[in-house]
Amino acid sequence: MKKKLVLTLFVLFGLCCFVAFKIDDDPFSALIKKLEAYNQQNPQEKVHLHLDKPYYAIGDDIWFKAYIINATTSLPSEISNILYVELINESDSVKKQIKLPVIGGFTWGDFKLTDSLAEGNYRIRAYTQWMRNAGPEFFFDKTLKIGNSWANKVFTRTKYSFSEEKNAEKVNTQLTFTDKTGKAYSSNEVNYVVQIDNKNVSKGKALTNSNGEISFDFLNNRPELKSSGKITATIELPGKKKVVKLIPITATSDAIDIQFFPEGGNLVENIPSKLGIKAINSAGLGKDISGSIVDNEGTEITQFNTTHLGMGNVILNPQPGKTYTAIVKFKDGSDQKIKLPQALPGGYVLSVNNLDTSKISVKIYLSSNMLGKGELKLLAQNNGNVFSVFTTKTEKQLVIINIPKKDLPMGILQLTLFGPDNKPVCERLTFVQNQTDLTNLQVQSDRKTYNKRDSVQLTLTSTADNKPVQGIFSMSVTNTSVVQPDEDNESNIFTTFLLTSDLAGYVEKPNYYFLHKDPAAQNDLDNLLLTQGWRRFSWKTFTGNTNPPVTYKAEKSLAISGTLTTLGGKPIEKGKVSLFSSSGGLFMIDTLTDANGRFNFDKLLFSDSTKFVVQGRNAKNKKNVEIKLDLVPRQVVTKNKNTGDIEVNINEAISSYITKSETYFDELTKRGLLQRTIMLNEVNIVEKKNKAPNSANLNGAGHADAIITADQLGTCTTLSQCLQGRVAGLMIRDGKAYLMRNGNTPMRIVLDGMNMDADFLDNIVPQEVETIEVLKSIGNTAIYGMNGGGGILVITTKRGGGNYGSVYTPGIMVYTQKGYYTPRQFYSPRYTPESGSQPDLRTTVYWNPQIITSTSGTAKVGYFNTDQSGTYRVVTEGMNRIGQLARTVYTYEVK
């Protein structure tokens, strides 16, 4: 971590000198103190997931390691101890969610891609509850291509072409349907629905031609919006089997959006300024352009062109009374005119040169009418930490400040210029390449060339400042002949923590800026920061009198908390609250409420979806109380921001991988290690309605000797009263249910799947019950073992199927909470001369989420190669104990 540097600048006889100064209690210093205090009290978290592969196939496993850091300190986060990881489909629906315990800023998990999922552009999203205060734009959110060959009968290929019709955008769509061998589905009926921005704009039906094709048009009547959507196409196969395909619409035109961004914020008359240029197509991908700038008299002033992914810059010196227009020429001979921002008659311009490896050169230009107005302050910060403050008097029209890079952390540096009134007037982002702020991580193998199924021994070495350091790392090994990397487009621990987590919108090919160290790539990175926009920090947060509210608390452990009140809503002090659960064994714990009626059961440990009963009593042990649990609303799924990563033809884009993975999955299926979902033909069944459809009866819902439904419970005040004399052989004694044949053994109660004691019966309000299933015969009680000896009452409440909670009676609440997911262990075979001959076609050769180097900075790992030759790629990521990041890629050959 870098030490903060606070400096002041005096301009004397044309020379610059730097003098350290003490922060006084002036308004600007008070603003800085408020900034630092806020970041101390409300540190931001960042999350990165290291994934084992860049893309997947249905049948695969997704393995990941999560790194969570405190953005303010850059250390592994100790703010949150629970991480949420979600798999989201193209319809922005959460298909899987797991909750993981975080220890020291690290955790890991996995998803199984079962064949009940369809191919598509999925997203993997990770966040903590604390991160929700800053908003979902700060979550880890990556788009994954997931193809399907193994469990897929219909393959589609989509082609769009664009034109204009009156004031609308017209899209011609050609869909091709084939089987996995490429054979066309001809003369098959296809029904399709087109949605743009979640609104139906077209629908119809068509028959595929001999090539398996259908063609249709649709219109986007709101071309001013960057529209996207989907086509839902349903094709009918022989035997009346219907297959539904979702096809993304990434754009409705081939228009290019072009924007110009004055460096620092504004153009000022008679001051030369750099204009950042950004050109993207309708799908969000950069498109390189060229053109010229003319003034209001038509005189050409200069020419420009973009150099990388539609980004570049041009210098313009705006003159008084002039306006300027950029004219972009396209290949088809057409052009587009863009009015440039109007220059201000007076103000400041901030210009940054970051090409020098040792320093950042900052030029501050002042218009003549800004001279002699007081002091300017230039503030340099990273993640809310102030590293430099420079002050200068407004005596000259040009001030040059050089900031040494050795004192700055690697990552985005935010430069803000404050006017004499201490309000921000210019802002500029620049990137500090400081390799000394990273962990040096090296991987070496015992050989450079191996054979198939050979044992591989790798040694990791981690150092910082040329000294061994302990670190925590994760490693993924793949065969590049199976999993072909797209290195420029990779998301990794550098791109997430140092770049994309602090920028607005989609960043195309983020790893390009870390792979390439040449001046051209550094200039491209500077253009990105000129045009992309800052999002993590806003000065408005600190110029007002109030701080943003904290809605979501940092989770330290699994907990169930709430408030105990009277039925009139008054908090109850020293009330007794009990927590019960029979999931995974009987569990019971008590606590007392505080003066505000609050209770909290924390440091709980339980697995996924565990059901609890919360019981409350007042200080006099009366049950006429109300329990209000602290229920956190689910995080909404926002629209996918990674528009440029969305692939229309998924299976075609990763066809080589899904073909090879299919062979692997077929082999696993033969060996019984992977199962397909059996799809049955549609059959119409006429059946008597199940009276207890939601019950947790182990025999199956409704399989009981007697069923009492809600309409039979309306006239009694207790359940024991409801049951008395209603079922043959069942009697009530002391509020407990007994079967006459069992003498003194009371009937057990199963309440919404939870085992309760027999005396719990009258704690349940009859009006809240949906069904009571009476199990008294040996055929129905045998499945409950010893617990079924006296008979069973399976009670299902009207809200018992809910995910959060349901109130049965004053003083009682049943609540289901999601617990920790238990990660699976990656299977890595060990080969001996006696090993079988079954083919080993693993697509992920090796995965290890937890490699810890010793005090000597070393660690060793070992595994066996597969039966496939090629270049094996070892990707290792992580950080040392003081938060310095590390990543390295190592390759070796398998013959």
Side-chain angles (χ1 to χ4, degrees), residues 859-892:
K860 294 184 180 295
V861 297
Y863 57 89
F864 288 81
N865 295 324
T866 70
D867 285 332
Q868 295 173 305
S869 60
T871 300
Y872 281 43
R873 186 171 187 253
V874 183
V875 178
T876 311
E877 295 187 356
M879 63 180 68
N880 66 19
R881 57 187 176 82
I882 62 171
Q884 292 176 313
L885 307 179
R887 185 177 191 264
T888 189
V889 177
Y890 178 78
T891 60
Y892 63 87

Side-chain angles (χ1 to χ4, degrees), residues 8-312:
T8 185
L9 169 70
F10 297 95
V11 180
L12 185 63
F13 304 116
L15 299 175
C16 297
C17 60
F18 299 94
V19 180
F21 78 102
K22 182 180 179 181
I23 295 181
D24 297 318
D25 290 329
D26 62 87
F28 183 75
S29 298
L31 180 65
I32 302 305
K33 289 180 179 179
K34 186 175 181 181
L35 163 66
E36 293 186 322
Y38 177 82
N39 281 296
Q40 292 257 339
Q41 297 168 7
N42 301 280
Q44 299 296 314
E45 287 182 308
K46 295 182 180 180
V47 175
H48 167 68
L49 299 189
H50 176 197
L51 303 173
D52 65 308
K53 288 194 288 280
Y55 46 76
Y56 297 87
I58 297 300
D60 261 333
D61 298 298
I62 298 176
W63 304 94
F64 61 84
K65 168 72 172 284
Y67 296 88
I68 305 98
I69 66 170
N70 180 328
T72 305
T73 64
S74 297
L75 292 170
S77 178
E78 296 182 355
I79 303 170
S80 298
N81 293 339
I82 297 177
L83 181 73
Y84 298 80
V85 186
E86 298 167 338
L87 187 67
I88 302 170
N89 68 7
E90 284 184 329
S91 299
D92 295 328
S93 173
V94 176
K95 302 304 293 182
K96 297 175 183 284
Q97 185 199 65
I98 57 176
K99 187 187 290 188
L100 296 168
V102 177
I103 301 175
F106 310 99
T107 189
W108 57 89
D110 56 85
F111 288 117
K112 181 69 179 176
L113 300 178
T114 61
D115 62 351
S116 61
L117 300 173
E119 72 269 18
N121 296 276
Y122 284 75
R123 295 154 60 191
I124 188 166
R125 185 173 75 166
Y127 58 92
T128 65
Q129 291 293 339
W130 181 255
M131 290 173 67
R132 294 178 67 180
N133 293 302
E137 61 269 24
F138 297 104
F139 297 172
F140 178 88
D141 197 333
K142 179 175 174 57
T143 298
L144 297 177
K145 299 178 181 67
I146 299 180
N148 188 5
S149 180
W150 172 63
N152 191 9
K153 290 186 176 181
V154 178
F155 289 69
T156 61
R157 185 172 63 255
T158 306
K159 182 179 179 182
Y160 296 117
S161 57
F162 308 111
S163 60
E164 293 183 4
E165 185 174 288
K166 297 181 180 180
N167 294 322
E169 293 171 342
K170 183 178 180 180
V171 183
N172 175 258
T173 306
Q174 181 178 296
L175 300 182
T176 304
F177 298 85
T178 66
D179 63 15
K180 67 177 61 179
T181 67
K183 181 181 178 182
Y185 283 109
S186 60
S187 301
N188 291 80
E189 184 176 274
V190 178
N191 289 274
Y192 62 86
V193 177
V194 181
Q195 285 187 320
I196 297 294
D197 295 332
N198 296 318
K199 294 182 180 179
N200 291 353
V201 298
S202 180
K203 63 180 180 179
K205 66 172 59 177
L207 283 179
T208 56
N209 62 20
S210 59
N211 296 319
E213 300 168 343
I214 67 168
S215 182
F216 56 88
D217 298 330
F218 64 88
L219 296 177
N220 175 21
N221 292 311
R222 301 192 66 186
E224 71 277 5
L225 302 178
K226 290 182 179 179
S227 298
S228 60
K230 65 182 178 182
I231 299 172
T232 305
T234 306
I235 183 171
E236 187 171 309
L237 304 183
K240 295 187 176 181
K241 180 178 177 61
K242 294 181 179 180
V243 176
V244 178
K245 293 291 177 179
L246 296 181
I247 302 157
I249 301 169
T250 58
T252 58
S253 77
D254 52 11
I256 297 177
D257 179 56
I258 305 168
Q259 297 183 69
F260 291 82
F261 301 88
E263 183 176 22
N266 295 300
L267 293 174
V268 178
E269 292 177 356
N270 289 317
I271 298 180
S273 297
K274 182 185 291 185
L275 281 166
I277 308 168
K278 189 175 185 68
I280 59 173
N281 64 15
S282 297
L285 296 172
K287 299 290 289 186
D288 283 326
I289 59 170
S290 61
S292 61
I293 294 177
V294 299
D295 64 16
N296 50 305
E297 296 176 354
T299 302
E300 182 177 297
I301 305 300
T302 187
Q303 294 184 345
F304 63 84
N305 64 279
T306 58
T307 57
H308 177 70
L309 301 177
M311 291 176 289

